Amino acid sequence: MKMLINVPETVVADALRGIAAAHPDLTVDVERRVIIRRGAPYEGKVGLVSGGGSGHEPLHGGFVGKGMLDAACPGEVFTSPVPDQMVRAAAAVDSGAGVLFIVKNYTGDVLNFDMAAELAEDEGVQVAKVLVNDDVAVMDSTFTAGRRGTGATLFVEKIAGALAEEGASLDQVAAVARRVNELSRSFGVALTAVSTPAKGGPTFDLPDGELELGVGIHGEPGRERRAMMTSGEIADASVEAVVDDLQPDGPLLVLVNGMGGTPLLELYGFAAEVHRVLGERKIPVARTLVGNYVTSLDMSGCSVSICQVDEELLRLWDAPVSTPGLRWGC
Amino acid sequence: MNALPADGPEIDAAFLRRWLDTAADVIEREAARLDDLDSPIGDADHGGNMRRGFIAARTAVGQEPPDTPGGVLVAVGRQLISTVGGASGPLYGTLLRRAGKELGDEPAVSAARLRDALKAGVDGVAQLGGAAVGDKTMLDALYPALDALSGALDAGASTADALSAAAAAADTGATATIPLRARKGRASYLGERSIDHQDPGATSAALLLNALSDTATGTAA
C-alpha cells in the first residue's frame, strides 16, 4: 500500500504543520495538538471545541474559524484525543462565557472529553457537552455503546457555531446543538476497506463485488454486506434508513458526504439519486452539501446525513462561515 | 532478579518501578499482536496506543521516581491518560490512579493492600466504562484475576504465588472472551460479528498482570 507519508508515527504532526502553513487564520499548536481560531478568545463569545481521531479530515480542524469551531483537538489516527488537548483548547478559547464540547459518541471520545470537562471546570472554565449520535445503522443500541456520531457532527458544529457567533449564551448554544443532533440522522456505505498508516494496509476485508451497508467512519460495519449495487440502489437504501428513522415533516438539510476515496463525479451522481428518492417521498430539501467532509482516510463510499430544519436552524445554517473546509457568505 | 523476600513480602516503590519496566517491555514486544487482535473488531491500534503510553510512563517515572508504591501507580495512570487516547487511556489511567490513591503515601504495602487497591481501581474502570464481566472488555481478565488473587491470599499463598494465580486467571479470562459478543466499545458495533475474536483489552490486561507476577517471582525478562 503506497501512502504519501514519512513514517506512520509522525502522520498527525506532519499534517498539523501543513495546516499551519496553509491557513494563517489558524493557530496550530503542533506540540500540544490543538488547532485554534486566530484571535481567540473572542470577548463574550461561547467557545466551541470539538475533536476526535485523525483521519476524518476536514473534520474537525478544517472546521475551525469564523462561524464554526473555536478549537479542534486531533487525536492519533482513529483514536480519540487525550484530555490535556481539550483542556488546553478550552483554556485558549474561553472568554469567560463558557465552552461547549461537541463530542461524537465513541467510547474513547466520551471518556476523554468527560475527563477534560472535569479538569477544565477545576480550572474555572464553565463547560457544557453535547453528544452527537446520529448513525441509524447501529440497530440494537442497548447492546452496543449506542449510536455512533458521524455526519451530523458537521450540522451541529455549523449551526451551534453560528449561534455562538451571534453572542448567545452557553445554555442557548448547547440547546441548539442538542436540538440539531435530535433532528439529524446519518447512514454510511463502504465500497472498499480503509487503510490506516500504522497498519500500512486495509484494516478489514471487503471483497471486490461487495459493499458494506451501514458502515461507520472507521469502517466499522453496521447492518449487512451485500453484492455491489448501483448508485440509485444505494441512495434508495440510505435515504430509506435515515428517513424511516427520523420521520421528517419539514424541509431537510442534506449532506452527501464522501468517505475520502470516492471522486466528486460519483458523489454528485449519488446526490442526484438522493434527491430523486426524497422527491419520490415528497420530502422537501432546503439545502444540499456535496463533498468529502467527514471522511475515513482512503475509504471509498459515501454517507447521507439529513437534518430537519425550521426557519431558525436554516438561518443559522446559511450564516457566514469561514473555515478551511467550509466557507460561504464571507 | 529482585524476587520478593519469602518472609513478610512488602511491595514498595522499587517493586512497582520494576513492574513498570517489565510491563513497558512486554507491551513493546506484544504491541503488534495487540494491533492484530484489534484489527478485526476495532481499528488495529490498541498495541500502538498502549506502547505510546507505557513509553511515556517509563520516561516520566524514570525522570522523577516516586518513592511510594501509590505514587508510582498514580504517575503511570496520569501518563496513560495524557498520552494513550481512545478508551484504553482513560480506562487504564483510571485503574492505576484509583489504585494508587487507595494506597496513599505508605512507603510499602502488603499484597492484601495491593489487592484491595486494585479492586478499587478495577471497580473504577467498570463504573467509568459502564461495562460488566461478559461484555467482552478488559474486565473479563481483571475481575477473574482479582478473584484468584483474593482466593490465593486468603488461602495463605505467598505474594509471588498469589500474583501468579492472578496472572493465570487473567490469561484464562482473556481467552474466554473469544466466544463472547461485544457490548461495549468499538467492537460492539459489529454485533454477532465480534464473536470468535479475542478481546484486545482483556489481552493487554492479562499482559500487565503477567508483568506483575513476573516482577514478584523475579522472572521478568
Side-chain angles (χ1 to χ4, degrees), chain A residues 9 76-84 105-109 111-112 114-115 138 140 142-148 196 198-199 202-204 212 218 220-225, chain B residues 35-36 38-45 49 51-52 78 80-91 93-94 97 128-129 181-186 188-191 193:
Chain A
E9 290 75 21
E76 286 292 323
V77 172
F78 290 178
T79 300
S80 85
V82 300
D84 308 35
N105 190 32
Y106 296 96
T107 311
D109 291 285
L111 295 182
N112 283 286
D114 279 354
M115 293 197 145
V138 179
D140 52 352
T142 358
F143 294 106
T144 69
R147 288 183 168 183
R148 299 172 288 220
T196 61
K199 178 114 174 138
T203 60
F204 60 98
E212 180 88 34
H218 311 95
E220 325 95 303
R223 289 195 177 173
E224 59 178 321
R225 234 167 232 206
Chain B
D35 282 346
D36 286 344
D38 195 26
S39 176
I41 61 174
D43 42 23
D45 62 0
N49 290 342
R51 179 172 55 200
R52 187 169 60 249
R78 193 184 298 129
L80 297 185
I81 291 171
S82 295
T83 56
V84 175
S88 329
L91 292 172
T94 294
R97 282 190 72 225
L128 185 64
R181 176 185 164 158
R183 294 186 175 190
K184 290 290 166 185
R186 190 85 40 94
S188 69
Y189 300 120
L190 278 82
R193 284 191 272 178

Side-chain angles (χ1 to χ4, degrees), chain B residues 66-186:
Chain B
D67 51 11
T68 62
V72 176
L73 293 181
V74 168
V76 176
R78 193 184 298 129
Q79 284 300 317
L80 297 185
I81 291 171
S82 295
T83 56
V84 175
S88 329
L91 292 172
Y92 275 119
T94 294
L95 196 173
L96 297 175
R97 282 190 72 225
R98 182 77 65 92
K101 288 192 165 187
E102 197 71 18
L103 292 180
D105 51 10
E106 293 169 53
V109 297
S110 67
R113 285 274 292 130
L114 181 65
R115 173 211 44 205
D116 293 346
L118 290 176
K119 172 78 166 61
V122 175
D123 287 345
V125 170
Q127 193 185 8
L128 185 64
V133 169
D135 285 346
K136 200 178 181 103
T137 71
M138 54 201 275
L139 294 178
D140 288 314
L142 291 170
Y143 274 120
L146 284 176
D147 287 345
L149 182 57
S150 275
L153 289 175
D154 292 349
S158 70
T159 297
D161 286 350
L163 288 174
S164 159
D171 285 338
T172 307
T175 312
T177 61
I178 294 173
L180 297 177
R181 176 185 164 158
R183 294 186 175 190
K184 290 290 166 185
R186 190 85 40 94

Side-chain angles (χ1 to χ4, degrees), chain B residues 1-5 10-26 114 159-161 163-164 167 207-221:
Chain B
M1 59 161 218
N2 291 316
L4 284 175
E10 294 243 302
I11 291 157
D12 61 8
F15 176 86
L16 286 182
R17 292 202 301 267
R18 289 200 299 280
W19 162 74
L20 173 58
D21 269 338
T22 309
D25 286 344
V26 74
L114 181 65
T159 297
D161 286 350
L163 288 174
S164 159
L207 292 175
L208 297 180
L209 284 157
N210 274 281
L212 195 60
S213 165
D214 290 349
T215 306
T217 54
T219 57

